[in-house]
Amino acid sequence: MARRVKQPASSDLDARKATILEAVVSEHIATAQPVGSSSVASNADLGVSPATVRSEMVSLEREGYLAQPHTSAGRVPTDKGYRYFVDHLASGVLGTVQQHQLSEFFANVRGEVEDVLEQTSTLLSRMTSYTAVVVGATHAHASILSAQLVNIDARHQLLVTVFSDGSVVKHSLTPHFDVDLETCTEASRQINALLIGTTLETQVQVPSRHDHVAVLVRDAVAALHAALPTADGEKVFIGGSSRVADSFDGVETVRQVLSILEQELLVVSLVQDMLARGLSVAIGTENGYEPLSACAVVVAPVTIDGATAGAVGLLGPTRMKYQEAMAAAGAVSQHLTRHFGGEEENANH
Amino acid sequence: MARRVKQPASSDLDARKATILEAVVSEHIATAQPVGSSSVASNADLGVSPATVRSEMVSLEREGYLAQPHTSAGRVPTDKGYRYFVDHLASGVLGTVQQHQLSEFFANVRGEVEDVLEQTSTLLSRMTSYTAVVVGATHAHASILSAQLVNIDARHQLLVTVFSDGSVVKHSLTPHFDVDLETCTEASRQINALLIGTTLETQVQVPSRHDHVAVLVRDAVAALHAALPTADGEKVFIGGSSRVADSFDGVETVRQVLSILEQELLVVSLVQDMLARGLSVAIGTENGYEPLSACAVVVAPVTIDGATAGAVGLLGPTRMKYQEAMAAAGAVSQHLTRHFGGEEENANH
DNA sequence: GTTGGCACTCAATTCTACCGAGTGCCAGCG
DNA sequence: CGCTGGCACTCGGTAGAATTGAGTGCCAAC
């Protein structure tokens, strides 16, 4: 049927509709209940009767911003409704308590990067009551500071590589010949010489000889570079996965979401996909994974030297508290950026 | 397997009671419903009427093996009931399909220890539909093969230590003075000389001088040994945490269990506590954590060279399929034992 | 000791009535 | 014209009563 309502730019609502939509979303986020015309009329202070609100709501429903669970229930925001809400949101500010909490945390953390990120994910989760995700940088672009071959026993060697970003990776080698200490040491020397200063993206010239040392060197380099194509360098830290249980009421939904969270690669690509699309919030189906269609995801990038070095994210129900979540994620990402990016400067004074 | 090392009379049930108890437990495990006298009378083939079963049940209830959710409902096993059931259980055998699955998995796995353990936890979880826990060995007793200090920049050094068990740990140093490459190299040389061949339990003689090299050496050794007291060396891999969601029906229970699983240290100590107490199954409150009182935990140690090097575990509801779970955990632990303990022998062919 | 019989209990289910929040529609008002 | 109050209507939720039925405990009899 043809609708005579003309909507050139459907994404812009007139002021009153916007106010009403906002009221509905806010209240539904707060109460988890469908919200009716009268409570909107009283809460939002447009001097207008419920009846008027109602007629606006019909219109908002026609346009896809609201939905009715059933006739004679109030309205519930659709994903599109949340989207509008988020896009036109006054970006909230973090509560001072939480700001304090954050500053204190970052002032006191010590330990390895991984530990910091892990703890950060827990903190972020606790601050927001949502599940937090912290994605650590890949070291694809970091240069190699040291590559050392350690002899475990005659048939097992371990290639230990240290990158300029402070990450360390190991790779096992299991040659088909016995390796004595001397051979290992020599191979280690050559590997180190070969790889130092390169990145994983650098092509290196491996020796083509067939002696044991050369084979070790080749195997080592191969092992190291083999990891590159997979997004394996990303470390994911998930904090507060138990929050999933109180974000959703259907046990089945909980299972599905947890199941997704278990697949870390998937989480990484979700987050990176969002960053690539320039999204900071993905609502419902926007995130591209059906099992997550009841979820909203908020992300904030962590940048070091201008490059994206990681991200923090929050996962909650579509009716999540977006302001809080965005503020928290933003603040944490900034703290991380400062913590890792700015520390040389601090250290120099 | 030890059977009757119990108190004289009260913990040993006569044959018929035992049969009845077993029937109740089995059926309740299968159906999750309270089970009544008549179904026991027909399922277990003791030629006896429901009425007789009933009177036995009263007695079993008095002795604490069974409980009634309410009058006029069937009986449900108590923790004690499950305990008896487990203790007198014919140890089940793994299905051939799963045996095959396991062999195939272990024949094909490659990669670092951590990866193997991670994948193992996923596999075990998938095999059993329960949440799997794999605890990796600590390297407290492993000797140090190499300890190297790598210069990240003037104020950041990384101590990279390789242990004889193939594990690698890193520790950041942030001295309060600028370190040049030469100093770092010299410190690295000294650290290596000092630590090689020692274990984390070995006391080493650090230089007492005040020059930069000596300070670096001291800091490095201190950083390395600092980790010792905590059970930090243990790596935990949890597979299938989403299974928690269908093991329990109360959302609140799910939350609590997940919440426990998040605290990895806690999981480690739970498992180690069980191993120390010689338990292979902890039912309900036996595990010592109230939030886990609805859970049963099955563990099996992984031994390398006769010493406990880790463990695998399964976590499910108290009405879990104990035979299957124990068989699976046992089989996996044996595979792991063979995989890591016996691989030198294999490597020699 | 075992059994069938029997009265009894009580969660779960079904049915009914009904309340009320909320709607859509409309006629009238400024 | 847009806004409003009024009104009939819808339908999920709740509360209460009645019913069902699985399962018990007890007991007299075998």
Side-chain angles (χ1 to χ4, degrees):
Chain A
M1 78 169 60
R3 63 182 65 143
R4 59 231 194 107
V5 185
K6 51 104 194 177
Q7 331 186 28
S10 76
S11 87
D12 253 337
L13 301 172
D14 68 60
R16 198 170 63 183
K17 276 185 188 163
T19 314
I20 292 177
L21 177 55
E22 194 192 312
V24 172
V25 175
S26 303
E27 187 163 337
H28 183 255
I29 286 176
T31 65
Q33 301 292 329
V35 356
S37 56
S38 60
S39 82
V40 170
S42 63
N43 278 4
D45 52 289
L46 20 80
V48 141
S49 82
T52 313
V53 174
R54 240 172 286 152
S55 77
E56 294 285 52
M57 281 172 130
V58 208
S59 155
L60 280 169
E61 184 171 1
R62 237 199 331 263
E63 293 167 45
Y65 295 96
L66 295 178
Q68 262 182 312
H70 55 85
T71 354
S72 95
R75 292 329 201 279
V76 158
T78 60
D79 289 356
K80 188 179 176 187
Y82 284 120
R83 165 56 59 198
Y84 186 95
F85 178 76
V86 168
D87 285 344
H88 294 72
L89 201 56
S91 51
V93 186
L94 208 58
T96 46
V97 195
Q98 309 191 306
Q99 281 182 8
H100 220 256
Q101 198 178 352
L102 258 183
S103 306
E104 198 185 8
F105 171 80
F106 279 103
N108 295 337
V109 270
R110 19 192 62 262
E112 303 311 307
V113 185
E114 290 80 1
D115 299 336
V116 173
L117 295 184
E118 171 80 53
Q119 289 174 48
T120 303
S121 76
T122 306
L123 175 75
L124 182 54
S125 168
R126 237 199 293 270
M127 281 175 55
T128 58
S129 319
Y130 299 123
T131 302
V133 173
V134 176
V135 180
T138 175
H139 42 245
H141 305 288
S143 66
I144 294 174
L145 290 184
S146 153
Q148 191 194 4
L149 195 65
V150 178
N151 206 41
I152 307 260
D153 59 45
R155 288 296 178 93
H156 295 85
Q157 285 75 39
L158 206 61
L159 174 68
V160 178
T161 315
V162 182
F163 290 83
S164 57
D165 62 357
S167 60
V168 177
V169 296
K170 62 170 180 173
H171 296 275
S172 294
L173 299 187
T174 52
H176 293 100
F177 48 83
D178 282 3
V179 176
D180 58 24
L181 201 56
E182 209 172 327
T183 313
C184 182
T185 310
E186 173 57 18
S188 183
R189 208 191 52 73
Q190 290 191 17
I191 292 168
N192 200 45
L194 208 55
L195 291 177
I196 249 181
T198 67
T199 75
L200 286 185
E201 287 157 335
T202 315
Q203 290 283 350
V204 298
Q205 188 76 33
V206 293
S208 54
R209 287 164 292 126
H210 288 299
D211 57 299
H212 286 176
V213 170
V215 171
L216 277 179
V217 172
R218 274 204 302 276
D219 285 358
V221 172
L224 186 58
H225 283 182
L228 179 58
T230 79
D232 204 27
E234 261 79 21
K235 298 237 166 147
V236 198
F237 303 91
I238 296 182
S241 44
S242 61
R243 303 298 187 154
V244 176
D246 32 41
S247 288
F248 309 97
D249 19 41
V251 188
E252 179 53 21
T253 313
V254 173
R255 222 213 74 248
Q256 285 183 356
V257 175
L258 283 176
S259 181
I260 295 277
L261 285 178
E262 277 180 55
Q263 298 161 265
E264 306 200 331
L265 282 183
L266 217 142
V267 174
V268 175
S269 46
L270 164 59
V271 170
Q272 288 187 333
D273 193 48
M274 284 180 62
L275 289 181
R277 286 194 287 159
L279 280 181
S280 68
V281 183
I283 298 162
T285 54
E286 291 175 0
N287 59 47
Y289 296 93
E290 273 164 56
L292 296 187
S293 57
C295 304
V297 182
V298 170
V299 295
V302 175
T303 54
I304 295 181
D305 301 332
T308 300
V312 308
L314 282 166
L315 182 147
T318 44
R319 48 170 283 273
M320 87 192 293
K321 297 173 183 167
Y322 291 98
Q323 294 106 321
E324 284 185 24
M326 292 170 75
V332 168
S333 84
Q334 274 176 33
H335 267 103
L336 280 177
T337 298
R338 215 171 306 144
H339 189 78
F340 291 121
E343 69 187 342
E344 285 92 14
E345 291 148 35
N346 295 337
N348 280 338
H349 299 304
Chain B
M1 177 173 284
R3 301 163 305 181
R4 39 186 334 204
V5 206
K6 301 292 177 181
Q7 297 93 326
S10 81
S11 133
D12 252 338
L13 300 171
D14 69 61
R16 197 170 64 185
K17 277 186 188 162
T19 314
I20 293 177
L21 177 56
E22 194 192 310
V24 172
V25 174
S26 303
E27 186 163 340
H28 183 255
I29 287 176
T31 66
Q33 300 292 331
V35 357
S37 55
S38 59
S39 82
V40 169
S42 62
N43 276 5
D45 52 292
L46 21 80
V48 143
S49 81
T52 312
V53 173
R54 238 172 285 150
S55 77
E56 294 285 50
M57 281 171 130
V58 209
S59 156
L60 280 168
E61 183 171 2
R62 238 199 328 263
E63 294 168 44
Y65 295 97
L66 295 177
Q68 264 181 311
H70 55 85
T71 355
S72 96
R75 294 322 203 284
V76 158
T78 60
D79 289 356
K80 189 179 175 187
Y82 284 119
R83 165 55 60 197
Y84 186 93
F85 178 75
V86 168
D87 284 345
H88 294 72
L89 201 55
S91 49
V93 186
L94 208 57
T96 46
V97 194
Q98 309 190 308
Q99 279 183 8
H100 220 257
Q101 197 180 351
L102 258 184
S103 306
E104 199 185 9
F105 171 80
F106 278 103
N108 295 336
V109 269
R110 22 190 63 264
E112 303 310 308
V113 185
E114 288 80 0
D115 298 337
V116 174
L117 295 183
E118 171 79 51
Q119 290 175 47
T120 302
S121 76
T122 307
L123 175 74
L124 182 53
S125 168
R126 237 198 293 270
M127 281 176 53
T128 58
S129 318
Y130 298 123
T131 303
V133 172
V134 176
V135 180
T138 174
H139 41 246
H141 304 289
S143 65
I144 294 174
L145 291 183
S146 153
Q148 191 193 5
L149 196 65
V150 178
N151 208 41
I152 306 262
D153 59 46
R155 288 298 179 94
H156 294 84
Q157 285 75 39
L158 206 61
L159 174 67
V160 178
T161 315
V162 182
F163 290 83
S164 57
D165 62 357
S167 59
V168 177
V169 296
K170 63 171 181 174
H171 295 275
S172 293
L173 299 188
T174 51
H176 294 102
F177 48 86
D178 284 3
V179 176
D180 57 24
L181 201 54
E182 209 171 328
T183 312
C184 182
T185 310
E186 173 57 15
S188 183
R189 206 190 53 72
Q190 291 190 17
I191 292 168
N192 200 44
L194 209 53
L195 291 178
I196 250 183
T198 68
T199 74
L200 285 185
E201 287 158 336
T202 314
Q203 290 284 351
V204 298
Q205 188 75 34
V206 294
S208 53
R209 287 164 291 123
H210 289 296
D211 56 301
H212 285 177
V213 171
V215 171
L216 277 179
V217 172
R218 273 205 301 278
D219 286 357
V221 172
L224 185 59
H225 283 183
L228 179 58
T230 80
D232 205 26
E234 261 78 23
K235 298 236 166 144
V236 199
F237 303 91
I238 296 183
S241 43
S242 62
R243 304 298 185 148
V244 177
D246 32 41
S247 288
F248 308 95
D249 19 41
V251 189
E252 178 53 20
T253 313
V254 173
R255 221 212 77 248
Q256 286 183 355
V257 175
L258 283 176
S259 181
I260 296 275
L261 285 177
E262 278 180 54
Q263 298 161 265
E264 305 200 332
L265 282 182
L266 216 141
V267 174
V268 176
S269 47
L270 165 59
V271 170
Q272 288 188 333
D273 193 46
M274 284 180 61
L275 289 182
R277 286 194 287 159
L279 280 181
S280 67
V281 182
I283 298 161
T285 53
E286 290 174 0
N287 60 47
Y289 296 93
E290 273 164 59
L292 296 187
S293 56
C295 304
V297 182
V298 170
V299 296
V302 175
T303 54
I304 296 181
D305 300 333
T308 301
V312 309
L314 283 166
L315 182 146
T318 44
R319 46 170 284 272
M320 88 192 293
K321 298 175 184 167
Y322 290 99
Q323 293 107 322
E324 283 185 25
M326 291 170 75
V332 168
S333 84
Q334 274 177 32
H335 267 103
L336 280 178
T337 298
R338 216 171 305 144
H339 189 78
F340 291 120
E343 68 186 344
E344 285 93 15
E345 292 149 33
N346 296 337
N348 279 339
H349 299 303

